[in-house]
Amino acid sequence: MKQKYKTVKVGRNDPCPCGSGLKYKKCCLGKEGLEPDNLKKLYAREYKIRLKDEADIEGIRRAGRLVVDTLRLLEAEIRPGIATDDINTLVHEFTIKNRAIPAPLNYRGFPKSVCVSVNEVVCHGIPGERVLKDGDIVNVDVTSILNGYYADANKTFFAGAPGPDARKIVRVARESLKVGMSMVRPGNTVGDIGWAIQRYAEGEGCSVVREFVGHGVGFEFHESPHVPHYGAKGEGIGLVPGMVFTIEPMINLGKRDLYILEDRWTAVTRDRSLSAQFEQTVLVTKDGFESLTPFDL
Ligand code: MF3
Ligand code: CO
Ligand code: CO
């Protein structure tokens, strides 16, 4: 069935009717992005992106508050001597207690409620017997489903006192997320985010993982679009209000190459160098962005 879209005459240099404050040509021109309803249909049809309305956003924001509270709870618990499975227990119990569901559990066969990735583990570490040592870095990636809405965020913590390499990679990963988020506004593209992250992280002598990317989120764990943490300025889908996606750069101290362990989940740097990551779920607003999983970077 073919859909008809209403069109309105707007000059190329006029302010964009979507309310972004940008010129029409820099924003929704060619995207029929004239009213929320048309934009929603257009993004669904062209990109399989499900734009969120106010009620959806409030739902994701609530799930996001729980995710951030979970990460905050871990702050006090992570220290040398605890096993990664202890982190799983803490996250699982706190999530359930708050009437939410840990999204990783049984997701495509993932066996635990949270991803815990230590040192050379890039992401998707499965909690188990590994005990944290003094100076380790440990990423905990929490995704909760609350009233049907998903929010996804992660942080890399220090166990005990970090050495200079640990401090550096965690600083660059944290800053990479910040730099990526600063690009989020209507009129910019998905490619602008990756471009800014890659330029910054490589400028610090680190490398950017390519096999895993940020993603749309909210109604499901992983939605369209992909949000790469590398790429070219101006490339890819235009950002419009109501888009919700994660930015989650994985940054390595050595080379970007990785491999997957026999468990089919754990991603490890090929050169065994340290890898760190920070993630937030962000909403594109009419003049910028709002983090739906806000914590200080
Ligand atoms: N939370 C991860 C992400 O940021 C995905 C983990 S999938 C799992 O996209 F199955 F390992 F949990
Ligand atoms: Co994610
Ligand atoms: Co995540």
Side-chain angles (χ1 to χ4, degrees):
M1 193 180 61
K2 252 197 156 178
Q3 290 273 6
K4 281 250 168 67
Y5 292 87
K6 202 170 114 199
T7 54
V8 171
K9 268 265 174 278
V10 183
R12 292 171 53 79
N13 291 309
D14 291 345
C16 187
C18 82
S20 66
L22 293 158
K23 287 183 178 173
Y24 182 42
K25 68 178 179 196
K26 285 277 285 178
C27 192
C28 295
L29 176 62
K31 297 178 194 156
E32 306 166 59
L34 302 174
E35 307 157 26
D37 239 39
N38 282 348
L39 197 61
K40 201 165 197 158
K41 285 181 190 144
L42 179 82
Y43 267 58
R45 188 187 50 183
E46 292 297 315
Y47 309 125
K48 307 256 177 296
I49 292 174
R50 299 173 69 188
L51 298 181
K52 276 71 179 178
D53 65 23
E54 257 325 305
D56 301 327
I57 291 162
E58 184 51 26
I60 303 166
R61 201 183 272 122
R62 284 190 185 176
R65 266 184 221 128
L66 177 60
V67 168
V68 170
D69 287 346
T70 310
L71 290 170
R72 190 174 310 125
L73 160 98
L74 295 172
E75 205 88 45
E77 301 294 331
I78 289 179
R79 55 179 170 272
I82 74 162
T84 54
D85 204 38
D86 300 333
I87 297 173
N88 183 71
T89 303
L90 287 162
V91 170
H92 184 87
E93 287 179 352
F94 188 72
T95 306
I96 296 301
K97 197 175 83 190
N98 284 281
R99 299 186 181 76
I101 301 165
L105 189 57
N106 301 320
Y107 176 78
R108 294 175 185 243
F110 192 80
K112 295 282 183 169
S113 297
V114 64
C115 297
V116 180
S117 304
V118 181
N119 293 346
E120 72 288 350
V121 179
V122 173
C123 65
H124 301 168
I126 301 173
E129 321 253 83
R130 185 168 180 169
V131 172
L132 299 182
K133 297 190 292 4
D134 187 40
D136 280 353
I137 60 172
V138 56
N139 177 277
V140 184
D141 190 343
V142 177
T143 312
S144 300
I145 314 168
L146 184 64
N147 298 322
Y149 290 106
Y150 290 71
D152 186 10
N154 75 49
K155 240 173 156 167
T156 301
F157 302 88
F158 297 122
D165 283 355
R167 273 213 295 277
K168 174 169 182 187
I169 197 62
V170 170
R171 171 179 64 78
V172 176
R174 178 189 288 115
E175 204 62 33
S176 291
L177 174 55
K178 226 169 158 172
V179 162
M181 285 168 68
S182 76
M183 299 303 284
V184 178
R185 58 176 169 273
N188 277 1
T189 68
V190 162
D192 291 329
I193 299 169
W195 168 79
I197 292 170
Q198 183 180 12
R199 189 181 58 143
Y200 165 71
E202 292 182 355
E204 293 287 322
C206 298
S207 63
V208 177
V209 168
R210 305 208 175 187
E211 286 84 349
F212 303 102
V213 297
H215 51 90
V217 68
F219 299 132
E220 293 171 71
F221 203 159
H222 295 108
E223 299 176 22
S224 197
H226 286 318
V227 182
H229 307 108
Y230 58 90
K233 207 166 161 43
E235 192 177 68
I237 296 167
L239 304 181
V240 293
M243 278 175 84
V244 176
F245 53 81
T246 72
I247 305 176
E248 48 179 302
M250 283 141 275
I251 308 296
N252 300 348
L253 203 51
K255 296 209 171 79
R256 65 177 168 85
D257 310 76
L258 56 79
Y259 64 94
I260 309 289
L261 299 188
E262 293 275 81
D263 63 21
R264 299 165 58 94
W265 281 104
T266 313
V268 179
T269 56
R270 187 156 281 287
D271 61 10
R272 305 281 171 148
S273 66
L274 292 176
S275 183
Q277 181 183 24
F278 287 81
E279 172 178 34
Q280 293 194 21
T281 293
V282 300
L283 162 72
V284 183
T285 60
K286 72 180 192 356
D287 48 13
F289 72 92
E290 175 191 335
S291 177
L292 301 179
T293 54
F295 58 81
D296 286 344
L297 287 167

